[in-house]
Amino acid sequence: MSPARESIELLEQIAQVFSFEETKHGLRDREWTALRFLARANKFSRTPSTLVSHVGTTGETATCIVNQLERKGFLEKTRTDRDRRSITLSLTQQGRKFLGRARGGGTPSDRR
């Protein structure tokens, strides 16, 4: 990702933090940020550790976010074939539909 694009995304995150209401479409701000990130991330970036960096939280908090989104049916965890200890996070069809409705438009693609 180019430095300019990364800067724009960081500014968007900051703006969301300041303008975010307590919940948006039933999600807390960090859940919403995580869902949006996972919708755009490539398959190598859809990991819990990358999510920690993107959301700016601890591993424990990221685990809670992932578990909450999984309980709501918006994402699923999959162990990788090469290393069964590694987990990949993916939006479910329900998660893509939810994000598309919440954004007021079409559903984003779940890049593989």
Side-chain angles (χ1 to χ4, degrees), residues 32-74:
W32 181 250
T33 299
L35 191 64
R36 288 182 59 236
F37 168 73
L38 293 169
R40 294 187 324 262
N42 65 40
K43 68 180 179 178
F44 303 107
S45 298
R46 287 183 285 152
T47 64
S49 60
T50 305
L51 185 62
V52 165
S53 298
H54 183 78
V55 176
T57 188
T58 65
E60 186 176 329
T61 301
T63 298
C64 291
I65 292 167
V66 167
N67 290 340
Q68 186 65 24
L69 292 172
E70 188 177 36
R71 272 192 296 278
K72 291 182 179 191
F74 296 152

mmCIF file of all heavy atoms in Angstrom, residues 32-74:
data_model
loop_
_atom_site.group_PDB
_atom_site.id
_atom_site.type_symbol
_atom_site.label_atom_id
_atom_site.label_comp_id
_atom_site.label_asym_id
_atom_site.label_seq_id
_atom_site.Cartn_x
_atom_site.Cartn_y
_atom_site.Cartn_z
ATOM 1 N N TRP A 32 -16.777 -2.534 14.229
ATOM 2 C CA TRP A 32 -17.029 -1.944 12.919
ATOM 3 C C TRP A 32 -15.714 -1.773 12.151
ATOM 4 O O TRP A 32 -15.609 -2.110 10.971
ATOM 5 C CB TRP A 32 -17.747 -0.608 13.104
ATOM 6 C CG TRP A 32 -18.094 0.102 11.862
ATOM 7 C CD1 TRP A 32 -17.531 1.258 11.410
ATOM 8 C CD2 TRP A 32 -19.064 -0.262 10.872
ATOM 9 N NE1 TRP A 32 -18.092 1.633 10.218
ATOM 10 C CE2 TRP A 32 -19.035 0.710 9.874
ATOM 11 C CE3 TRP A 32 -19.950 -1.328 10.758
ATOM 12 C CZ2 TRP A 32 -19.855 0.656 8.760
ATOM 13 C CZ3 TRP A 32 -20.766 -1.378 9.649
ATOM 14 C CH2 TRP A 32 -20.717 -0.402 8.677
ATOM 15 N N THR A 33 -14.688 -1.252 12.822
ATOM 16 C CA THR A 33 -13.373 -1.059 12.195
ATOM 17 C C THR A 33 -12.799 -2.399 11.756
ATOM 18 O O THR A 33 -12.258 -2.520 10.647
ATOM 19 C CB THR A 33 -12.417 -0.358 13.177
ATOM 20 O OG1 THR A 33 -12.962 0.916 13.518
ATOM 21 C CG2 THR A 33 -11.044 -0.160 12.577
ATOM 22 N N ALA A 34 -12.902 -3.402 12.607
ATOM 23 C CA ALA A 34 -12.383 -4.732 12.268
ATOM 24 C C ALA A 34 -13.112 -5.319 11.066
ATOM 25 O O ALA A 34 -12.481 -5.869 10.153
ATOM 26 C CB ALA A 34 -12.505 -5.666 13.466
ATOM 27 N N LEU A 35 -14.420 -5.207 11.044
ATOM 28 C CA LEU A 35 -15.212 -5.742 9.933
ATOM 29 C C LEU A 35 -14.827 -5.060 8.621
ATOM 30 O O LEU A 35 -14.623 -5.729 7.603
ATOM 31 C CB LEU A 35 -16.699 -5.562 10.232
ATOM 32 C CG LEU A 35 -17.675 -6.288 9.324
ATOM 33 C CD1 LEU A 35 -17.512 -7.792 9.462
ATOM 34 C CD2 LEU A 35 -19.103 -5.882 9.654
ATOM 35 N N ARG A 36 -14.715 -3.749 8.645
ATOM 36 C CA ARG A 36 -14.334 -3.004 7.433
ATOM 37 C C ARG A 36 -12.920 -3.386 6.978
ATOM 38 O O ARG A 36 -12.671 -3.560 5.796
ATOM 39 C CB ARG A 36 -14.416 -1.501 7.685
ATOM 40 C CG ARG A 36 -15.848 -1.019 7.789
ATOM 41 C CD ARG A 36 -15.943 0.481 7.981
ATOM 42 N NE ARG A 36 -15.311 1.182 6.877
ATOM 43 C CZ ARG A 36 -14.330 2.076 7.016
ATOM 44 N NH1 ARG A 36 -13.867 2.392 8.194
ATOM 45 N NH2 ARG A 36 -13.820 2.667 5.956
ATOM 46 N N PHE A 37 -11.995 -3.517 7.929
ATOM 47 C CA PHE A 37 -10.630 -3.899 7.590
ATOM 48 C C PHE A 37 -10.596 -5.275 6.933
ATOM 49 O O PHE A 37 -9.961 -5.467 5.890
ATOM 50 C CB PHE A 37 -9.733 -3.896 8.831
ATOM 51 C CG PHE A 37 -8.403 -4.562 8.603
ATOM 52 C CD1 PHE A 37 -7.434 -3.936 7.845
ATOM 53 C CD2 PHE A 37 -8.148 -5.817 9.122
ATOM 54 C CE1 PHE A 37 -6.212 -4.553 7.614
ATOM 55 C CE2 PHE A 37 -6.928 -6.440 8.901
ATOM 56 C CZ PHE A 37 -5.959 -5.805 8.140
ATOM 57 N N LEU A 38 -11.279 -6.232 7.535
ATOM 58 C CA LEU A 38 -11.257 -7.600 7.004
ATOM 59 C C LEU A 38 -11.913 -7.692 5.632
ATOM 60 O O LEU A 38 -11.546 -8.539 4.825
ATOM 61 C CB LEU A 38 -11.917 -8.557 7.992
ATOM 62 C CG LEU A 38 -11.137 -8.734 9.304
ATOM 63 C CD1 LEU A 38 -11.974 -9.475 10.330
ATOM 64 C CD2 LEU A 38 -9.817 -9.444 9.056
ATOM 65 N N ALA A 39 -12.851 -6.804 5.342
ATOM 66 C CA ALA A 39 -13.489 -6.800 4.021
ATOM 67 C C ALA A 39 -12.505 -6.348 2.941
ATOM 68 O O ALA A 39 -12.603 -6.777 1.799
ATOM 69 C CB ALA A 39 -14.700 -5.871 4.030
ATOM 70 N N ARG A 40 -11.553 -5.500 3.306
ATOM 71 C CA ARG A 40 -10.600 -4.961 2.326
ATOM 72 C C ARG A 40 -9.266 -5.704 2.296
ATOM 73 O O ARG A 40 -8.525 -5.605 1.331
ATOM 74 C CB ARG A 40 -10.304 -3.488 2.648
ATOM 75 C CG ARG A 40 -11.462 -2.561 2.486
ATOM 76 C CD ARG A 40 -11.052 -1.096 2.648
ATOM 77 N NE ARG A 40 -10.026 -0.863 3.636
ATOM 78 C CZ ARG A 40 -10.237 -0.466 4.884
ATOM 79 N NH1 ARG A 40 -11.445 -0.273 5.320
ATOM 80 N NH2 ARG A 40 -9.228 -0.276 5.714
ATOM 81 N N ALA A 41 -8.941 -6.407 3.364
ATOM 82 C CA ALA A 41 -7.628 -7.021 3.513
ATOM 83 C C ALA A 41 -7.436 -8.209 2.573
ATOM 84 O O ALA A 41 -8.376 -8.943 2.281
ATOM 85 C CB ALA A 41 -7.438 -7.481 4.952
ATOM 86 N N ASN A 42 -6.193 -8.395 2.130
ATOM 87 C CA ASN A 42 -5.892 -9.576 1.318
ATOM 88 C C ASN A 42 -5.725 -10.784 2.240
ATOM 89 O O ASN A 42 -5.704 -10.646 3.467
ATOM 90 C CB ASN A 42 -4.655 -9.354 0.450
ATOM 91 C CG ASN A 42 -3.385 -9.180 1.258
ATOM 92 O OD1 ASN A 42 -3.160 -9.855 2.250
ATOM 93 N ND2 ASN A 42 -2.540 -8.252 0.832
ATOM 94 N N LYS A 43 -5.603 -11.971 1.675
ATOM 95 C CA LYS A 43 -5.603 -13.193 2.486
ATOM 96 C C LYS A 43 -4.418 -13.270 3.440
ATOM 97 O O LYS A 43 -4.497 -13.928 4.474
ATOM 98 C CB LYS A 43 -5.657 -14.440 1.608
ATOM 99 C CG LYS A 43 -4.422 -14.690 0.786
ATOM 100 C CD LYS A 43 -4.593 -15.950 -0.036
ATOM 101 C CE LYS A 43 -3.364 -16.217 -0.887
ATOM 102 N NZ LYS A 43 -3.519 -17.459 -1.632
ATOM 103 N N PHE A 44 -3.329 -12.586 3.145
ATOM 104 C CA PHE A 44 -2.168 -12.607 4.021
ATOM 105 C C PHE A 44 -2.325 -11.648 5.206
ATOM 106 O O PHE A 44 -1.639 -11.775 6.205
ATOM 107 C CB PHE A 44 -0.907 -12.257 3.234
ATOM 108 C CG PHE A 44 -0.680 -13.172 2.073
ATOM 109 C CD1 PHE A 44 -0.891 -12.747 0.784
ATOM 110 C CD2 PHE A 44 -0.286 -14.489 2.277
ATOM 111 C CE1 PHE A 44 -0.695 -13.596 -0.291
ATOM 112 C CE2 PHE A 44 -0.090 -15.354 1.211
ATOM 113 C CZ PHE A 44 -0.301 -14.904 -0.079
ATOM 114 N N SER A 45 -3.231 -10.706 5.093
ATOM 115 C CA SER A 45 -3.437 -9.704 6.149
ATOM 116 C C SER A 45 -4.625 -10.018 7.049
ATOM 117 O O SER A 45 -4.842 -9.313 8.023
ATOM 118 C CB SER A 45 -3.645 -8.327 5.520
ATOM 119 O OG SER A 45 -2.503 -7.948 4.803
ATOM 120 N N ARG A 46 -5.365 -11.047 6.730
ATOM 121 C CA ARG A 46 -6.560 -11.370 7.522
ATOM 122 C C ARG A 46 -6.215 -12.323 8.661
ATOM 123 O O ARG A 46 -6.709 -13.440 8.741
ATOM 124 C CB ARG A 46 -7.640 -11.955 6.630
ATOM 125 C CG ARG A 46 -8.278 -10.901 5.737
ATOM 126 C CD ARG A 46 -9.374 -11.463 4.911
ATOM 127 N NE ARG A 46 -8.773 -12.258 3.837
ATOM 128 C CZ ARG A 46 -9.346 -13.290 3.245
ATOM 129 N NH1 ARG A 46 -10.551 -13.660 3.571
ATOM 130 N NH2 ARG A 46 -8.726 -13.952 2.297
ATOM 131 N N THR A 47 -5.331 -11.831 9.548
ATOM 132 C CA THR A 47 -4.908 -12.618 10.701
ATOM 133 C C THR A 47 -5.185 -11.836 11.977
ATOM 134 O O THR A 47 -5.277 -10.609 11.940
ATOM 135 C CB THR A 47 -3.401 -12.929 10.632
ATOM 136 O OG1 THR A 47 -2.681 -11.696 10.710
ATOM 137 C CG2 THR A 47 -3.036 -13.673 9.345
ATOM 138 N N PRO A 48 -5.288 -12.530 13.093
ATOM 139 C CA PRO A 48 -5.495 -11.817 14.354
ATOM 140 C C PRO A 48 -4.388 -10.807 14.666
ATOM 141 O O PRO A 48 -4.667 -9.704 15.129
ATOM 142 C CB PRO A 48 -5.537 -12.939 15.394
ATOM 143 C CG PRO A 48 -6.059 -14.118 14.621
ATOM 144 C CD PRO A 48 -5.430 -13.976 13.261
ATOM 145 N N SER A 49 -3.132 -11.154 14.379
ATOM 146 C CA SER A 49 -2.035 -10.225 14.693
ATOM 147 C C SER A 49 -2.101 -8.960 13.844
ATOM 148 O O SER A 49 -1.825 -7.858 14.336
ATOM 149 C CB SER A 49 -0.675 -10.905 14.531
ATOM 150 O OG SER A 49 -0.487 -11.363 13.217
ATOM 151 N N THR A 50 -2.478 -9.073 12.588
ATOM 152 C CA THR A 50 -2.623 -7.890 11.744
ATOM 153 C C THR A 50 -3.810 -7.065 12.210
ATOM 154 O O THR A 50 -3.759 -5.830 12.212
ATOM 155 C CB THR A 50 -2.803 -8.290 10.264
ATOM 156 O OG1 THR A 50 -1.711 -9.123 9.888
ATOM 157 C CG2 THR A 50 -2.826 -7.080 9.368
ATOM 158 N N LEU A 51 -4.850 -7.729 12.643
ATOM 159 C CA LEU A 51 -6.024 -7.024 13.161
ATOM 160 C C LEU A 51 -5.650 -6.215 14.410
ATOM 161 O O LEU A 51 -6.094 -5.087 14.580
ATOM 162 C CB LEU A 51 -7.142 -8.013 13.473
ATOM 163 C CG LEU A 51 -8.467 -7.409 13.898
ATOM 164 C CD1 LEU A 51 -9.058 -6.544 12.788
ATOM 165 C CD2 LEU A 51 -9.439 -8.507 14.276
ATOM 166 N N VAL A 52 -4.808 -6.780 15.267
ATOM 167 C CA VAL A 52 -4.339 -6.070 16.458
ATOM 168 C C VAL A 52 -3.689 -4.753 16.053
ATOM 169 O O VAL A 52 -3.980 -3.695 16.614
ATOM 170 C CB VAL A 52 -3.337 -6.938 17.266
ATOM 171 C CG1 VAL A 52 -2.570 -6.107 18.284
ATOM 172 C CG2 VAL A 52 -4.050 -8.083 17.948
ATOM 173 N N SER A 53 -2.805 -4.815 15.060
ATOM 174 C CA SER A 53 -2.112 -3.610 14.596
ATOM 175 C C SER A 53 -3.081 -2.607 13.986
ATOM 176 O O SER A 53 -2.984 -1.408 14.239
ATOM 177 C CB SER A 53 -1.053 -3.974 13.552
ATOM 178 O OG SER A 53 -0.086 -4.808 14.110
ATOM 179 N N HIS A 54 -4.003 -3.085 13.183
ATOM 180 C CA HIS A 54 -4.919 -2.188 12.482
ATOM 181 C C HIS A 54 -5.888 -1.500 13.434
ATOM 182 O O HIS A 54 -6.128 -0.297 13.327
ATOM 183 C CB HIS A 54 -5.692 -2.934 11.397
ATOM 184 C CG HIS A 54 -6.585 -2.046 10.616
ATOM 185 N ND1 HIS A 54 -6.106 -1.219 9.630
ATOM 186 C CD2 HIS A 54 -7.912 -1.810 10.692
ATOM 187 C CE1 HIS A 54 -7.117 -0.518 9.134
ATOM 188 N NE2 HIS A 54 -8.218 -0.868 9.769
ATOM 189 N N VAL A 55 -6.446 -2.244 14.359
ATOM 190 C CA VAL A 55 -7.423 -1.681 15.281
ATOM 191 C C VAL A 55 -6.718 -0.904 16.397
ATOM 192 O O VAL A 55 -7.292 -0.010 16.996
ATOM 193 C CB VAL A 55 -8.336 -2.788 15.858
ATOM 194 C CG1 VAL A 55 -9.293 -2.251 16.895
ATOM 195 C CG2 VAL A 55 -9.116 -3.462 14.735
ATOM 196 N N GLY A 56 -5.445 -1.225 16.637
ATOM 197 C CA GLY A 56 -4.700 -0.531 17.672
ATOM 198 C C GLY A 56 -5.108 -0.971 19.059
ATOM 199 O O GLY A 56 -5.424 -0.153 19.917
ATOM 200 N N THR A 57 -5.104 -2.274 19.263
ATOM 201 C CA THR A 57 -5.559 -2.825 20.535
ATOM 202 C C THR A 57 -4.640 -3.956 20.967
ATOM 203 O O THR A 57 -3.668 -4.270 20.288
ATOM 204 C CB THR A 57 -7.024 -3.306 20.393
ATOM 205 O OG1 THR A 57 -7.514 -3.659 21.666
ATOM 206 C CG2 THR A 57 -7.153 -4.472 19.444
ATOM 207 N N THR A 58 -4.959 -4.581 22.058
ATOM 208 C CA THR A 58 -4.189 -5.731 22.537
ATOM 209 C C THR A 58 -4.710 -7.010 21.879
ATOM 210 O O THR A 58 -5.813 -7.028 21.322
ATOM 211 C CB THR A 58 -4.327 -5.879 24.062
ATOM 212 O OG1 THR A 58 -5.696 -6.188 24.370
ATOM 213 C CG2 THR A 58 -3.894 -4.623 24.786
ATOM 214 N N GLY A 59 -3.931 -8.066 21.987
ATOM 215 C CA GLY A 59 -4.363 -9.348 21.455
ATOM 216 C C GLY A 59 -5.620 -9.859 22.126
ATOM 217 O O GLY A 59 -6.503 -10.425 21.482
ATOM 218 N N GLU A 60 -5.723 -9.629 23.424
ATOM 219 C CA GLU A 60 -6.902 -10.079 24.172
ATOM 220 C C GLU A 60 -8.166 -9.361 23.694
ATOM 221 O O GLU A 60 -9.209 -9.981 23.495
ATOM 222 C CB GLU A 60 -6.691 -9.830 25.663
ATOM 223 C CG GLU A 60 -7.775 -10.395 26.535
ATOM 224 C CD GLU A 60 -7.472 -10.217 28.013
ATOM 225 O OE1 GLU A 60 -6.290 -10.222 28.394
ATOM 226 O OE2 GLU A 60 -8.441 -10.087 28.775
ATOM 227 N N THR A 61 -8.064 -8.052 23.497
ATOM 228 C CA THR A 61 -9.216 -7.286 23.018
ATOM 229 C C THR A 61 -9.571 -7.695 21.592
ATOM 230 O O THR A 61 -10.753 -7.836 21.257
ATOM 231 C CB THR A 61 -8.938 -5.774 23.089
ATOM 232 O OG1 THR A 61 -8.654 -5.437 24.451
ATOM 233 C CG2 THR A 61 -10.122 -4.967 22.600
ATOM 234 N N ALA A 62 -8.562 -7.918 20.754
ATOM 235 C CA ALA A 62 -8.823 -8.354 19.378
ATOM 236 C C ALA A 62 -9.524 -9.704 19.365
ATOM 237 O O ALA A 62 -10.427 -9.928 18.558
ATOM 238 C CB ALA A 62 -7.520 -8.419 18.588
ATOM 239 N N THR A 63 -9.144 -10.586 20.278
ATOM 240 C CA THR A 63 -9.808 -11.888 20.380
ATOM 241 C C THR A 63 -11.282 -11.705 20.734
ATOM 242 O O THR A 63 -12.152 -12.369 20.158
ATOM 243 C CB THR A 63 -9.109 -12.766 21.433
ATOM 244 O OG1 THR A 63 -7.760 -12.993 21.006
ATOM 245 C CG2 THR A 63 -9.820 -14.096 21.618
ATOM 246 N N CYS A 64 -11.566 -10.786 21.652
ATOM 247 C CA CYS A 64 -12.966 -10.509 22.014
ATOM 248 C C CYS A 64 -13.741 -9.961 20.819
ATOM 249 O O CYS A 64 -14.891 -10.348 20.589
ATOM 250 C CB CYS A 64 -13.026 -9.516 23.168
ATOM 251 S SG CYS A 64 -12.448 -10.190 24.729
ATOM 252 N N ILE A 65 -13.114 -9.077 20.045
ATOM 253 C CA ILE A 65 -13.755 -8.500 18.855
ATOM 254 C C ILE A 65 -14.061 -9.602 17.850
ATOM 255 O O ILE A 65 -15.171 -9.697 17.322
ATOM 256 C CB ILE A 65 -12.858 -7.418 18.223
ATOM 257 C CG1 ILE A 65 -12.753 -6.203 19.143
ATOM 258 C CG2 ILE A 65 -13.385 -7.008 16.844
ATOM 259 C CD1 ILE A 65 -11.658 -5.223 18.750
ATOM 260 N N VAL A 66 -13.068 -10.445 17.585
ATOM 261 C CA VAL A 66 -13.240 -11.549 16.626
ATOM 262 C C VAL A 66 -14.346 -12.484 17.098
ATOM 263 O O VAL A 66 -15.222 -12.883 16.321
ATOM 264 C CB VAL A 66 -11.914 -12.309 16.420
ATOM 265 C CG1 VAL A 66 -12.138 -13.629 15.705
ATOM 266 C CG2 VAL A 66 -10.922 -11.439 15.660
ATOM 267 N N ASN A 67 -14.333 -12.836 18.376
ATOM 268 C CA ASN A 67 -15.358 -13.744 18.907
ATOM 269 C C ASN A 67 -16.754 -13.139 18.798
ATOM 270 O O ASN A 67 -17.718 -13.835 18.465
ATOM 271 C CB ASN A 67 -15.042 -14.124 20.348
ATOM 272 C CG ASN A 67 -13.836 -15.027 20.459
ATOM 273 O OD1 ASN A 67 -13.426 -15.672 19.503
ATOM 274 N ND2 ASN A 67 -13.246 -15.069 21.640
ATOM 275 N N GLN A 68 -16.871 -11.844 19.073
ATOM 276 C CA GLN A 68 -18.169 -11.174 18.967
ATOM 277 C C GLN A 68 -18.665 -11.178 17.516
ATOM 278 O O GLN A 68 -19.829 -11.482 17.248
ATOM 279 C CB GLN A 68 -18.070 -9.732 19.490
ATOM 280 C CG GLN A 68 -19.377 -9.009 19.546
ATOM 281 C CD GLN A 68 -20.362 -9.610 20.533
ATOM 282 O OE1 GLN A 68 -20.004 -10.288 21.488
ATOM 283 N NE2 GLN A 68 -21.635 -9.382 20.300
ATOM 284 N N LEU A 69 -17.785 -10.848 16.573
ATOM 285 C CA LEU A 69 -18.173 -10.843 15.155
ATOM 286 C C LEU A 69 -18.509 -12.252 14.674
ATOM 287 O O LEU A 69 -19.411 -12.440 13.857
ATOM 288 C CB LEU A 69 -17.072 -10.224 14.298
ATOM 289 C CG LEU A 69 -16.851 -8.730 14.494
ATOM 290 C CD1 LEU A 69 -15.611 -8.267 13.736
ATOM 291 C CD2 LEU A 69 -18.076 -7.939 14.042
ATOM 292 N N GLU A 70 -17.804 -13.235 15.208
ATOM 293 C CA GLU A 70 -18.096 -14.626 14.851
ATOM 294 C C GLU A 70 -19.462 -15.041 15.409
ATOM 295 O O GLU A 70 -20.254 -15.682 14.717
ATOM 296 C CB GLU A 70 -16.987 -15.538 15.373
ATOM 297 C CG GLU A 70 -17.105 -16.966 14.896
ATOM 298 C CD GLU A 70 -15.959 -17.834 15.355
ATOM 299 O OE1 GLU A 70 -15.460 -17.637 16.486
ATOM 300 O OE2 GLU A 70 -15.572 -18.722 14.593
ATOM 301 N N ARG A 71 -19.754 -14.671 16.657
ATOM 302 C CA ARG A 71 -21.061 -14.987 17.253
ATOM 303 C C ARG A 71 -22.203 -14.352 16.467
ATOM 304 O O ARG A 71 -23.277 -14.929 16.350
ATOM 305 C CB ARG A 71 -21.123 -14.501 18.704
ATOM 306 C CG ARG A 71 -20.618 -15.489 19.716
ATOM 307 C CD ARG A 71 -20.959 -15.106 21.139
ATOM 308 N NE ARG A 71 -20.334 -13.869 21.582
ATOM 309 C CZ ARG A 71 -19.093 -13.758 22.028
ATOM 310 N NH1 ARG A 71 -18.327 -14.814 22.073
ATOM 311 N NH2 ARG A 71 -18.613 -12.597 22.429
ATOM 312 N N LYS A 72 -21.971 -13.166 15.929
ATOM 313 C CA LYS A 72 -23.002 -12.487 15.144
ATOM 314 C C LYS A 72 -23.116 -13.063 13.734
ATOM 315 O O LYS A 72 -23.994 -12.676 12.976
ATOM 316 C CB LYS A 72 -22.707 -10.988 15.080
ATOM 317 C CG LYS A 72 -22.884 -10.309 16.416
ATOM 318 C CD LYS A 72 -22.629 -8.825 16.333
ATOM 319 C CE LYS A 72 -22.849 -8.212 17.707
ATOM 320 N NZ LYS A 72 -22.890 -6.771 17.692
ATOM 321 N N GLY A 73 -22.196 -13.967 13.383
ATOM 322 C CA GLY A 73 -22.247 -14.608 12.067
ATOM 323 C C GLY A 73 -21.602 -13.799 10.968
ATOM 324 O O GLY A 73 -21.798 -14.082 9.790
ATOM 325 N N PHE A 74 -20.791 -12.787 11.332
ATOM 326 C CA PHE A 74 -20.188 -11.911 10.334
ATOM 327 C C PHE A 74 -18.814 -12.371 9.862
ATOM 328 O O PHE A 74 -18.349 -11.943 8.813
ATOM 329 C CB PHE A 74 -20.062 -10.487 10.868
ATOM 330 C CG PHE A 74 -21.385 -9.833 11.146
ATOM 331 C CD1 PHE A 74 -21.500 -8.864 12.102
ATOM 332 C CD2 PHE A 74 -22.526 -10.190 10.448
ATOM 333 C CE1 PHE A 74 -22.715 -8.247 12.373
ATOM 334 C CE2 PHE A 74 -23.750 -9.597 10.702
ATOM 335 C CZ PHE A 74 -23.843 -8.619 11.662
#
